[in-house]
Structures are given as structure tokens and as C-alpha cells.
């Protein structure tokens, strides 16, 4: 069984998805949280391991890895770009029985990770996949929420059902 890993360039996706772009203009932290929520939902439904990376290039500190909504979220350390961390993560995760994807629309980064053996997913394609997952989740919920008819006669063959119906009517 092949493990699929998706590494998401957080700010690149926020800048590419219209809903997150608008949210970023109001409050960047809200856009980050929404992306993390969305990717956690995607991870749990798709079965893919998702890692989100945010650039903290101008923020002093050591960066770090946090678990938020069961999703590993990385912040780069000072003077480290998200691209550098993503490249390290790709190198660390590439291996037998692993398929690594990187979600970014940064063409330079796409070429670099492709050279390391990972596949690229442009931001627009990831948005399509996320929307498909949301539709599947809605369908699943609707199907499970619909009253199920688990009648005894639905499990019977036609002959037996006919015979029982005759007895019921007194024939």
C-alpha cells in the first residue's frame, strides 16, 4: 500500500483561493485557520497525510511544528523560506511506498520538487479536489441522514413475497 503525502504551501494557497484571499484582506490569521480546517477535513476524508507549511521568514524565532486539528502545521524559522522547508520535507518523505505531492502555484518551486521526485498540484487543482471532497461529504451525510427502510420483505425473494401476500389476503 502506498502512503500519499500532500505538502501544502500555506500562503501560496491562501493567495490563490478567492475565499481565502478575501479573508486574508480582513484578517490573515482567520485565513490561515480556515486553510488548516479545510486541509484537516480533506485529510480525514481522502486518507492522504497532509502537512501545511507557513513562511515565517521575517518573524524572529525558531519556527516550529504544531498539531492543529490532527494536522501537522510547520512554521519556518527566521530567514528560512517556506520553499526551503518544503524541499526538506519532500526529501525526508520521499521513499519506497510513498508518493509525495506539493500543492503550490509557485513555478520555480514546482520544478525543484519535481526534480526531487515529488508531484505538484497547482492551487487551482487542489481547490477543485477540496470542493469534490466537500460534495462527497455532503452526499454521504445526506445518504446517512435519509430515513432507511429496512423492511423484512425487501430481503425476500419474489416467490416467497408472493406466497406470503396470498396468505395475508386469505388465498
Amino acid at each position: 500500500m502506498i502512503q500519499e503525502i500532500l505538502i501544502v504551501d500555506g500562503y501560496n494557497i491562501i493567495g490563490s483561493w478567492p475565499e481565502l484571499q478575501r479573508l486574508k484582506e480582513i484578517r490573515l490569521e482567520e485565513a490561515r485557520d480556515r486553510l488548516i480546517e479545510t486541509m484537516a477535513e480533506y485529510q480525514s476524508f481522502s486518507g492522504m497525510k497532509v502537512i501545511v507549511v507557513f513562511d515565517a521568514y521575517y518573524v524572529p524565532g525558531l519556527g516550529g511544528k504544531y498539531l492543529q486539528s490532527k494536522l501537522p502545521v510547520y512554521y519556518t524559522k527566521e530567514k528560512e523560506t517556506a520553499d526551503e522547508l518544503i524541499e526538506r520535507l519532500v526529501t525526508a518523505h520521499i521513499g519506497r511506498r510513498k508518493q509525495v505531492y506539493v500543492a503550490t502555484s509557485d513555478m520555480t518551486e514546482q520544478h525543484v520538487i519535481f526534480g526531487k521526485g515529488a508531484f505538484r498540484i497547482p492551487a487551482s487543482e487542489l481547490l477543485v479536489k477540496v470542493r469534490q471532497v466537500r460534495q462527497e461529504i455532503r452526499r454521504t451525510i445526506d445518504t446517512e441522514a435519509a430515513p432507511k427502510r429496512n423492511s423484512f420483505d425487501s430481503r425476500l425473494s419474489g416467490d416467497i413475497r408472493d406466497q406470503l401476500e396470498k396468505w395475508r389476503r386469505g388465498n
Side-chain angles (χ1 to χ4, degrees):
M1 175 127 173
I2 294 179
Q3 180 188 20
E4 293 184 310
I5 301 164
L6 173 64
I7 302 171
V8 178
D9 185 344
Y11 289 130
N12 185 276
I13 299 299
I14 288 173
S16 300
W17 290 3
E19 175 195 350
L20 296 180
Q21 247 179 352
R22 286 189 298 276
L23 207 50
K24 179 181 94 173
E25 299 303 319
I26 301 166
R27 193 158 174 237
L28 180 60
E29 188 176 305
E30 186 85 21
R32 270 197 315 257
D33 290 344
R34 181 77 54 88
L35 176 63
I36 291 168
E37 249 174 56
T38 301
M39 296 318 303
E41 184 179 81
Y42 183 79
Q43 173 178 262
S44 61
F45 197 80
S46 70
M48 209 178 219
K49 178 182 177 184
V50 179
I51 300 168
V52 180
V53 176
F54 290 108
D55 195 324
Y57 189 84
Y58 295 108
V59 180
L62 301 174
K65 174 187 175 187
Y66 307 93
L67 203 59
Q68 190 171 337
S69 301
K70 297 183 180 180
L71 191 76
V73 178
Y74 287 82
Y75 290 91
T76 64
K77 54 190 173 196
E78 184 179 7
K79 298 195 190 277
E80 179 183 38
T81 66
D83 292 352
E84 291 169 330
L85 179 54
I86 288 169
E87 289 163 22
R88 273 204 335 266
L89 288 169
V90 167
T91 301
H93 285 91
I94 284 286
R96 295 183 70 187
R97 300 184 184 258
K98 290 184 181 180
Q99 188 60 63
V100 180
Y101 299 87
V102 176
T104 183
S105 289
D106 179 338
M107 286 303 285
T108 306
E109 183 61 12
Q110 287 179 1
H111 290 297
V112 171
I113 59 99
F114 193 67
K116 291 183 174 286
F119 292 97
R120 58 186 166 74
I121 299 177
S124 58
E125 187 179 322
L126 182 60
L127 182 56
V128 168
K129 288 176 181 266
V130 164
R131 287 177 176 160
Q132 287 171 341
V133 162
R134 283 183 178 158
Q135 286 176 342
E136 287 179 44
I137 290 170
R138 269 189 228 106
R139 272 195 297 272
T140 303
I141 290 170
D142 291 346
T143 302
E144 289 177 5
K148 292 181 183 170
R149 202 154 171 231
N150 193 9
S151 62
F152 176 71
D153 70 332
S154 67
R155 298 179 186 270
L156 299 175
S157 70
D159 293 341
I160 294 175
R161 194 176 313 123
D162 291 343
Q163 183 63 47
L164 289 173
E165 184 61 24
K166 285 179 187 174
W167 291 347
R168 187 180 75 80
R169 294 182 183 267
N171 297 337

